[in-house]
Amino acid sequence: MPNRRRAVAALTALAAAPLLTSTAEARSREPGPSKARPAEALAGRRTPARARLIAADRVSERVLDLTIDSPALGREGHARVLLPTGYDRRPHHRWPVLYLLHGCCDPGPGWEAWTLNTDVEAITAGTPALIVSPEGGPVGFYSDWWNGGHYGAPAWETFHLAELRPLLERALRANGRRTIAGLSMGGFGALSYAARHPRLFRAAASFSGVVHTTLDPAGIQGILTGQGADPTALWGDPAAQSALWGAHNPYALIPRLPRGYPLYVACGNGTPGPLDPPDRPEDTLERGLGEMAQRYVRRARTHGLAVTAHLYGPGTHTWPYWERELTRALPLLTAPLL
């Protein structure tokens, strides 16, 4: 299939997608119908954050890749969307959204990771929602970077929640119901976003997530250094900027979530498990994340959150486990959307 990513004409691959008539409608929890307009009209539309949809490449019946001119990133940003089955046949219907976040350090584009490494298309075939996997950078940690106190690009949290979110509402008929899940760094992102913005997401799930950042700040800084980034550019120095680190620590943010909030937390203990090859060595990364998960679950339950925990013991930091956990978490993530 030819690469139409940057061509405005690629927007014709969409069904006639109605634009919302007002920002108030876009943010309504129970939106009404809106007037349909041709898909080409989406080109050049801007959100209040001034992000601009450059192109939408219809890769297959359900897979749609978005390219966004992002002031928050200072460059183009991307997102892969799995359209719900029957999307084209319902041009006036508006859909809830499940955000599905990727982990760090993948050699390929992060927004493609779930579709390349799992059978997420089949897993979500019956889910009546937009499944959105946004770009999060190799080590973006779903945050607006501190950059020595100057902030500026990359501002991943702004890209995802102030630029991409309104674009989905305007261009793809997303409604006001959202849940969020992610693996590893994306598990951090899911629980961080849920607690930092408790009115935006109705449920959250973490698979092998970095859910207690101040338990091992050196480990996080080591990941940044390994990817060629300044280890203090993200949230500053763990001691000097301890408040900023705490403001991005899912464990510390647990009290911001309302009582009864639905959470799914899964992790292994690093010992090779049933989905690993026979010669797999012990995984020290998963072992450390498993300790974080145990602490997170205990505190979350103390605060009255509705935690479904699957701390499954043997299992490593690998895709087969995350695919399995997505399948198990999907009922919890979709129930608040319907």
Side-chain angles (χ1 to χ4, degrees):
M1 177 177 293
N3 187 345
R4 300 165 290 161
R5 185 168 55 102
R6 287 179 171 78
V8 173
L11 294 170
T12 59
L14 286 167
L19 294 173
L20 304 183
T21 59
S22 69
T23 301
E25 285 181 327
R27 294 178 179 174
S28 169
R29 291 175 89 67
E30 298 295 342
S34 57
K35 185 178 179 181
R37 297 185 183 178
E40 294 90 330
L42 303 182
R45 298 293 294 185
R46 291 181 178 270
T47 70
R50 296 175 59 85
R52 183 169 59 91
L53 181 61
I54 296 174
D57 183 15
R58 192 72 172 263
V59 178
S60 65
E61 182 179 359
R62 288 191 62 206
V63 178
L64 179 71
D65 284 349
L66 306 180
T67 303
I68 300 154
D69 178 16
S70 168
L73 301 181
R75 60 169 176 81
E76 291 180 359
H78 303 85
R80 171 159 286 185
V81 180
L82 291 181
L83 300 171
T85 302
Y87 178 87
D88 294 336
R89 296 193 299 271
R90 303 180 69 183
H92 298 285
H93 188 75
R94 294 174 64 193
W95 304 88
V97 178
L98 166 58
Y99 287 83
L100 197 54
L101 308 182
H102 66 81
C104 86
C105 318
D106 279 330
W111 66 93
E112 298 179 358
W114 274 99
T115 52
L116 291 177
N117 294 284
T118 73
D119 200 8
V120 65
E121 290 187 60
I123 292 169
T124 63
T127 303
L130 299 164
I131 313 298
V132 179
S133 293
E135 176 184 6
V139 283
F141 273 95
Y142 298 94
S143 301
D144 292 352
W145 280 39
W146 183 66
N147 288 329
H150 301 291
Y151 289 93
W156 291 106
E157 189 170 11
T158 297
F159 171 60
H160 295 141
L161 304 185
E163 293 183 344
L164 176 61
R165 179 178 62 86
L167 276 175
L168 294 172
E169 293 168 355
R170 289 175 177 268
L172 296 186
R173 293 178 270 134
N175 65 27
R177 304 186 196 99
R178 307 171 204 90
T179 57
I180 190 166
L183 68 94
S184 192
M185 180 181 77
F188 158 82
L191 298 191
S192 174
Y193 282 178
R196 286 170 61 82
H197 308 275
R199 295 186 178 183
L200 282 186
F201 300 100
R202 299 185 175 194
S206 167
F207 316 131
S208 302
V210 186
V211 298
H212 194 342
T213 54
T214 59
L215 192 63
D216 184 20
I220 293 175
Q221 291 191 308
I223 293 172
L224 294 164
T225 301
Q227 293 294 308
D230 177 354
T232 65
L234 176 58
W235 302 315
D237 178 82
Q241 282 74 47
S242 60
L244 188 59
W245 277 75
H248 291 86
N249 183 2
Y251 178 85
L253 295 173
I254 284 172
R256 290 180 55 87
L257 291 168
R259 291 182 63 85
Y261 189 88
L263 289 172
Y264 186 97
V265 180
C267 199
N269 65 12
T271 302
L275 304 183
D276 292 298
D279 58 347
R280 170 78 192 199
E282 184 176 359
D283 190 330
T284 57
L285 172 59
E286 188 75 358
R287 183 178 64 196
L289 296 177
E291 294 172 1
M292 291 185 186
Q294 291 177 24
R295 296 188 184 211
Y296 184 95
V297 167
R298 285 198 297 268
R299 188 173 197 219
R301 285 176 170 164
T302 298
H303 280 271
L305 307 186
V307 183
T308 299
H310 190 206
L311 306 181
Y312 44 84
T316 57
H317 202 70
T318 50
W319 280 102
Y321 294 98
W322 304 327
E323 180 178 55
R324 183 188 71 185
E325 295 310 309
L326 173 63
T327 303
R328 293 181 174 183
L330 200 58
L332 179 145
L333 293 166
T334 54
L337 300 176
L338 304 178

mmCIF file of all heavy atoms in Angstrom, residues 26 50 72 79 110 127 129-130 149 170 178 215 220 224 229 247 258:
data_model
loop_
_atom_site.group_PDB
_atom_site.id
_atom_site.type_symbol
_atom_site.label_atom_id
_atom_site.label_comp_id
_atom_site.label_asym_id
_atom_site.label_seq_id
_atom_site.Cartn_x
_atom_site.Cartn_y
_atom_site.Cartn_z
ATOM 1 N N ALA A 26 -17.727 18.802 22.574
ATOM 2 C CA ALA A 26 -16.603 17.872 22.557
ATOM 3 C C ALA A 26 -16.300 17.335 23.937
ATOM 4 O O ALA A 26 -15.824 16.213 24.082
ATOM 5 C CB ALA A 26 -15.357 18.569 21.992
ATOM 6 N N ARG A 50 -3.888 24.282 19.482
ATOM 7 C CA ARG A 50 -3.259 24.651 18.217
ATOM 8 C C ARG A 50 -2.572 23.477 17.524
ATOM 9 O O ARG A 50 -1.848 23.675 16.557
ATOM 10 C CB ARG A 50 -2.274 25.805 18.405
ATOM 11 C CG ARG A 50 -2.947 27.092 18.870
ATOM 12 C CD ARG A 50 -1.912 28.161 19.144
ATOM 13 N NE ARG A 50 -1.111 28.449 17.965
ATOM 14 C CZ ARG A 50 -1.466 29.290 17.012
ATOM 15 N NH1 ARG A 50 -2.622 29.934 17.077
ATOM 16 N NH2 ARG A 50 -0.684 29.506 15.968
ATOM 17 N N ALA A 72 3.409 21.019 21.291
ATOM 18 C CA ALA A 72 3.925 20.485 22.551
ATOM 19 C C ALA A 72 5.212 19.698 22.351
ATOM 20 O O ALA A 72 6.097 19.708 23.213
ATOM 21 C CB ALA A 72 2.876 19.608 23.224
ATOM 22 N N ALA A 79 -0.106 8.777 16.320
ATOM 23 C CA ALA A 79 -0.964 7.886 17.096
ATOM 24 C C ALA A 79 -1.551 6.852 16.149
ATOM 25 O O ALA A 79 -1.900 7.168 15.006
ATOM 26 C CB ALA A 79 -2.081 8.649 17.793
ATOM 27 N N GLY A 110 6.889 3.531 18.769
ATOM 28 C CA GLY A 110 6.143 3.057 19.919
ATOM 29 C C GLY A 110 4.659 2.936 19.664
ATOM 30 O O GLY A 110 4.001 2.045 20.201
ATOM 31 N N THR A 127 -14.893 -4.760 20.973
ATOM 32 C CA THR A 127 -14.926 -3.617 21.884
ATOM 33 C C THR A 127 -15.460 -2.388 21.154
ATOM 34 O O THR A 127 -14.831 -1.913 20.206
ATOM 35 C CB THR A 127 -13.517 -3.320 22.426
ATOM 36 O OG1 THR A 127 -12.998 -4.488 23.074
ATOM 37 C CG2 THR A 127 -13.551 -2.169 23.421
ATOM 38 N N ALA A 129 -15.243 0.747 20.961
ATOM 39 C CA ALA A 129 -14.486 1.933 21.362
ATOM 40 C C ALA A 129 -13.328 2.144 20.404
ATOM 41 O O ALA A 129 -12.879 1.215 19.721
ATOM 42 C CB ALA A 129 -13.955 1.777 22.787
ATOM 43 N N LEU A 130 -12.848 3.379 20.361
ATOM 44 C CA LEU A 130 -11.596 3.687 19.680
ATOM 45 C C LEU A 130 -10.455 3.239 20.588
ATOM 46 O O LEU A 130 -10.382 3.630 21.749
ATOM 47 C CB LEU A 130 -11.482 5.193 19.420
ATOM 48 C CG LEU A 130 -12.555 5.839 18.546
ATOM 49 C CD1 LEU A 130 -12.520 7.359 18.722
ATOM 50 C CD2 LEU A 130 -12.364 5.470 17.084
ATOM 51 N N GLY A 149 14.097 23.430 34.380
ATOM 52 C CA GLY A 149 13.156 24.448 34.809
ATOM 53 C C GLY A 149 12.582 25.268 33.681
ATOM 54 O O GLY A 149 11.698 26.108 33.903
ATOM 55 N N ARG A 170 -12.849 15.859 17.833
ATOM 56 C CA ARG A 170 -13.287 16.606 16.656
ATOM 57 C C ARG A 170 -13.251 15.766 15.380
ATOM 58 O O ARG A 170 -14.147 15.858 14.551
ATOM 59 C CB ARG A 170 -12.399 17.844 16.468
ATOM 60 C CG ARG A 170 -12.618 18.919 17.516
ATOM 61 C CD ARG A 170 -11.609 20.060 17.331
ATOM 62 N NE ARG A 170 -11.875 21.120 18.291
ATOM 63 C CZ ARG A 170 -12.655 22.174 18.057
ATOM 64 N NH1 ARG A 170 -13.241 22.302 16.891
ATOM 65 N NH2 ARG A 170 -12.845 23.087 18.990
ATOM 66 N N ARG A 178 -13.573 7.730 28.777
ATOM 67 C CA ARG A 178 -12.215 7.275 28.495
ATOM 68 C C ARG A 178 -11.722 6.351 29.596
ATOM 69 O O ARG A 178 -11.994 6.577 30.774
ATOM 70 C CB ARG A 178 -11.234 8.452 28.408
ATOM 71 C CG ARG A 178 -11.639 9.550 27.458
ATOM 72 C CD ARG A 178 -10.724 10.768 27.611
ATOM 73 N NE ARG A 178 -11.425 11.952 27.143
ATOM 74 C CZ ARG A 178 -12.178 12.731 27.902
ATOM 75 N NH1 ARG A 178 -12.302 12.462 29.205
ATOM 76 N NH2 ARG A 178 -12.783 13.776 27.398
ATOM 77 N N LEU A 215 10.891 4.854 44.461
ATOM 78 C CA LEU A 215 11.475 3.664 45.066
ATOM 79 C C LEU A 215 12.825 3.349 44.431
ATOM 80 O O LEU A 215 13.714 2.808 45.090
ATOM 81 C CB LEU A 215 10.519 2.481 44.906
ATOM 82 C CG LEU A 215 10.828 1.228 45.722
ATOM 83 C CD1 LEU A 215 10.756 1.524 47.219
ATOM 84 C CD2 LEU A 215 9.860 0.107 45.368
ATOM 85 N N ILE A 220 15.396 4.708 37.028
ATOM 86 C CA ILE A 220 14.766 5.522 35.983
ATOM 87 C C ILE A 220 15.803 6.391 35.289
ATOM 88 O O ILE A 220 15.825 6.501 34.059
ATOM 89 C CB ILE A 220 13.636 6.374 36.589
ATOM 90 C CG1 ILE A 220 12.501 5.464 37.049
ATOM 91 C CG2 ILE A 220 13.116 7.399 35.577
ATOM 92 C CD1 ILE A 220 11.397 6.173 37.765
ATOM 93 N N LEU A 224 17.087 6.582 31.214
ATOM 94 C CA LEU A 224 17.259 7.806 30.433
ATOM 95 C C LEU A 224 18.677 7.902 29.883
ATOM 96 O O LEU A 224 18.879 8.203 28.697
ATOM 97 C CB LEU A 224 16.941 9.023 31.305
ATOM 98 C CG LEU A 224 15.487 9.166 31.757
ATOM 99 C CD1 LEU A 224 15.386 10.150 32.915
ATOM 100 C CD2 LEU A 224 14.616 9.629 30.604
ATOM 101 N N ALA A 229 19.722 10.368 26.896
ATOM 102 C CA ALA A 229 19.055 11.566 27.399
ATOM 103 C C ALA A 229 19.722 12.046 28.684
ATOM 104 O O ALA A 229 20.327 11.267 29.424
ATOM 105 C CB ALA A 229 17.578 11.279 27.654
ATOM 106 N N ALA A 247 5.193 14.481 42.301
ATOM 107 C CA ALA A 247 4.009 14.831 41.522
ATOM 108 C C ALA A 247 3.823 13.923 40.317
ATOM 109 O O ALA A 247 2.767 13.968 39.672
ATOM 110 C CB ALA A 247 4.104 16.287 41.063
ATOM 111 N N PRO A 258 -10.590 8.778 43.416
ATOM 112 C CA PRO A 258 -11.757 8.647 44.291
ATOM 113 C C PRO A 258 -11.953 7.221 44.783
ATOM 114 O O PRO A 258 -11.551 6.257 44.132
ATOM 115 C CB PRO A 258 -12.918 9.075 43.376
ATOM 116 C CG PRO A 258 -12.436 8.793 41.990
ATOM 117 C CD PRO A 258 -10.958 9.046 42.013
#
